[in-house]
Structure formats: C-alpha cells, structure tokens
C-alpha cells in the first residue's frame, strides 16, 4: 500500500507539472497573438482598430482566467 501511495503521489505531481508547463506555453502563444493584433490595430481604420482591440481585450481576459484557475493566488 505504501508503494502504491507513493506512486500515486508521484503521478499526480507529474500531471500537475505537465499542466503548469502546458498552460504557460498556451498562455504565451495567446499573448503573442494579442500583441500581433495590437500591432495590426495601430495602422488600421478606426472601426477595424476598435474591433481588433476588443478581441485583444477578450484574449487578455482569457489569459487572466486561465492563470487564476491554474495558478490560484
């Protein structure tokens, strides 16, 4: 029983490590997309700029929600 418990704890720790690593990778990609949209918005007409910046805001909210879920304070 002791060995099984240690193995179960080790498996859970490994899953947690993978979740943290994958979450951070995904969040970095989402942030890069947001930066690209922000850059594109700078030279866009006002209507498109507003639309792009609204999408960037939505991406920021997604990043914040994931971080709050995966990395609670």
């Amino acid at each position: 029983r002791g060995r099984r418990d240690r193995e179960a704890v080790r498996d859970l720790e490994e899953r947690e490590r993978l979740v943290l690593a994958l979450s951070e990778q995904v969040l970095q990609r989402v942030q890069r997309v947001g930066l690209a949209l922000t850059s594109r918005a700078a030279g866009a007409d006002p209507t498109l700029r507003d639309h792009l910046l609204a999408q960037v805001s939505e991406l920021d909210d997604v990043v914040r929600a994931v971080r709050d879920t995966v990395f609670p304070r």
Side-chain angles (χ1 to χ4, degrees), residues 41-71:
D45 68 78
T47 302
L48 179 57
R49 182 184 63 237
D50 291 346
H51 177 72
L52 291 173
L53 293 177
Q55 297 305 306
V56 169
S57 180
E58 184 69 25
L59 290 174
D60 289 343
D61 290 345
V62 168
V63 168
R64 208 169 3 270
V66 171
R67 282 210 167 114
D68 288 347
T69 301
V70 176
F71 309 103

Side-chain angles (χ1 to χ4, degrees), residues 10-69:
R10 188 180 64 238
D11 289 346
L12 287 173
E13 289 171 344
E14 179 64 11
R15 285 185 197 147
E16 181 179 354
R17 186 191 67 74
L18 288 172
V19 165
L20 295 175
L22 289 172
S23 297
E24 201 51 43
Q25 288 175 7
V26 169
L27 293 176
Q28 288 172 4
R29 290 178 68 188
V30 171
Q31 288 177 314
R32 279 196 302 272
V33 170
L35 289 173
L37 290 173
T38 300
S39 177
R40 176 71 174 112
D45 68 78
T47 302
L48 179 57
R49 182 184 63 237
D50 291 346
H51 177 72
L52 291 173
L53 293 177
Q55 297 305 306
V56 169
S57 180
E58 184 69 25
L59 290 174
D60 289 343
D61 290 345
V62 168
V63 168
R64 208 169 3 270
V66 171
R67 282 210 167 114
D68 288 347
T69 301

